[in-house]
Amino acid sequence: MELFTNQVLAGIATGAIYACMALAVVMIYQAIDHLNFAQGEMAMFATFISWQLMQWGVPYWAAFVITLAFAFVGGIAIERILFKPLAKAPILTNVAGFIALFAIINSSAGLIWDFTIKQYPTPFGSSPFLGSQLISTHQAGMIGVTLLLLLGLFFFFQYTRIGLAMRAAASLPESARLVGINTSWMIALGWGMASAIGAIAGMLIAPVVFLEPNMMGGVLIYGFAAAVLGGLSSPFGAVVGGFLVGIFENLAGTYIPGVGNELKLPIALALIISVLVVKPAGLFGRHIVKRV
Amino acid sequence: MSAAEEVVAEGHEAVEAVPKRAMTLSTTTSLVVLAAFLIVPLFAKNFIIFQLTMLLIYGLAVLALNILTGGSGQFSLGQSAFYAVGAYVTAVLMEQFNVNYALTLPVAGVICFGFGFLFGQPALRLSGVYLALATFALATAMPQLLKLNFLEHWTGGVQGLVVTKPDAPFGLPMGQDMWLYYFTLVVTLAIYIFSVNLLRSRSGRAFMAIRDNEIAASSMGVNVALYKTLAFGVSAGITGVAGGLSAIAVQFVAPDSYNITLAISLFLGMVVGGVGWLPGSFVGAAFIIFVPNMAESISKGLSGAVFGVLLFLVIFLVPHGARQVAIVSQQLIGKLKKN
């Protein structure tokens, strides 16, 4: 039983990261109807920035905040320069654009910081949490930061004017424009926020997976899986999906014989495909009725 | 309107601007290109012949994807999985069962057709980004599946298999590379002609009707489920043959050669060549083979970035890929003739 609880808690902790990535993916999906395949690389680059700042002697939380600001501005810049002109292009062109962005960021990070694996500090420490053997302080910290972030986002979207405007721009852009909302800038804002959320995920997972240019590959795939599982049109679903995928991944690795670490990914993905086949819009997604 | 339908709608507008037979090249151009493919290797070094062989093989794989996406409007980021299965079928048959290399290709094609047809069944319910993700998952899972313990007896596990390169038959005075090139060229030509005819046939029109408007197609009596899975099957089958050829040409198969990078390369090849334009597949194949090499020679560390920047240039300057270039040049030639 202890093994089970342990695996579930560890699953919740990694699930928190997947939830962040999924949330970032969903935010951009809501804004422009495309999946951002470069989301993980953007997060990785931001994590490297924070690492560099700490190497220069900036304390952890200061580096954290500066990196968030950098990621926010960077996300907006990417949208303005690269993807705004592609807004009317076919979806295939957009996917190619995301892949190009992926290649550019990955290769530049490799050139600047090289491909060796680096240690990344945790602000919470790695001792057992409150004396319990079940979960480490860093894992508890990951869950805590994610919950804070979710709460913040909830209040932002529910109770602020800009949050309301962003929701309007995402759900009915034409009508939003009619009531005077600058939808184009709302999309850019969505990119900035998604980029910052991704950066948080990157900085939280870096002590676990270590820092290197390819660190977000697996995390992004799980993030996609989480977003799809919860439904791409539902930020709430993305978060639930993230935790579910995290827990399932750990339990499958522990209890299904012959799975181990190697087959965790295929098994998790098989689960996602089966969910999609049964419920194509995801667990919490809106089902769109098609017309001729 | 789902995302996939939007692609299709956009694609459709692009199609209207060009003549009806825009899927292929004109007869004269085709013959000139074919002649070039026949003659160039006679004067080239072995390494260049090998690269041309790879160009044809990747071209076939991109062509297969083009039938699926350009033809029936379905996405796939998982072509590398079918490519891997084809390569492994050929390698295992040649090395473990001593089957002649030419005979392994139809087997690879048929097995991949079945595999694709079966994968098409659950994929029926998915569209647009969801389908892209499901196939993406397939491509990610494939290298892991090839490493499975109980298959190791045949597949060689992580180490992979070494494949022997065939000699030219009937005592023809040709090197192995050149023989393999001409052999690949014949296979490619056969599949190309088959694909052109397929897309012009009743089934091809059914594919395109589904691509343009699924519900309208079904109300006209097209069996949507059958044709969608069929498109998956045909596409996977052709990709499998390409994979089989690649196993012979590279002389080696290993799980990690068939990773997500390969799947993405094939996808990019299709975008660069122009979606739905069959000859573009080979232009796209040239892009994904030669541009990374060029990028490497410009700057070693930055090759990924150079590749990305070039890709952005293509997207911004010619969003419909090589097809757009072809149409524009055709119009220019037409104008010159008038004057």
Side-chain angles (χ1 to χ4, degrees), chain A residues 29 33-35 37 81-83 85-86 88-101 103-104 107-108 110-111 221 224-225 228 231-233 262-263 265-266 269 273 276-282 288-292, chain B residues 1-7 10 69 75 77 119 122-123 125-127 129-130 132-134 136-138 140-141 144-145 147-148 213-216 264 267-268 270-271 275 301-305 307-309 311-312 315-316 319-320:
Chain A
Y29 183 79
D33 273 349
H34 295 301
L35 286 175
F37 285 92
I81 299 166
L82 295 178
F83 288 95
L86 291 180
K88 290 211 161 55
I91 186 171
L92 291 163
T93 312
N94 271 282
V95 175
F98 285 119
I99 292 169
L101 183 63
I104 292 173
S107 159
S108 322
L111 191 76
I221 292 174
F224 277 153
V228 171
L232 278 172
S233 52
E262 280 281 279
L263 277 182
L265 197 60
L269 294 168
I273 294 181
L276 279 184
V277 169
V278 180
K279 225 172 164 328
I288 299 161
V289 180
K290 280 189 216 160
R291 282 164 175 260
V292 180
Chain B
M1 202 190 230
S2 77
E5 282 164 354
E6 272 166 20
V7 188
E10 299 256 355
T69 310
F75 264 122
L77 283 175
F119 186 80
R125 300 206 48 184
L126 310 174
S127 64
V129 278
Y130 290 101
L133 270 177
F136 186 73
L138 182 70
T140 326
Q144 306 289 351
L145 296 177
K147 286 178 196 161
L148 283 182
N213 192 327
E214 199 174 314
I215 296 170
I264 289 176
F267 171 82
L268 293 180
M270 179 180 67
V271 172
V275 181
L302 270 178
S303 62
F307 180 74
V309 170
L311 193 55
F312 263 120
I315 294 170
F316 278 117
H320 294 288

Side-chain angles (χ1 to χ4, degrees), chain B residues 30-44 49 52 56 174 178-179 181-187 189:
Chain B
S30 307
L31 287 177
V32 170
V33 172
L34 181 62
F37 268 118
L38 277 172
I39 295 167
V40 167
L42 295 176
F43 306 100
I49 297 180
L52 283 175
L56 291 176
M174 271 187 205
M178 198 181 280
W179 162 246
Y181 171 82
Y182 283 112
F183 177 72
T184 310
L185 186 63
V186 170
V187 175
L189 204 62

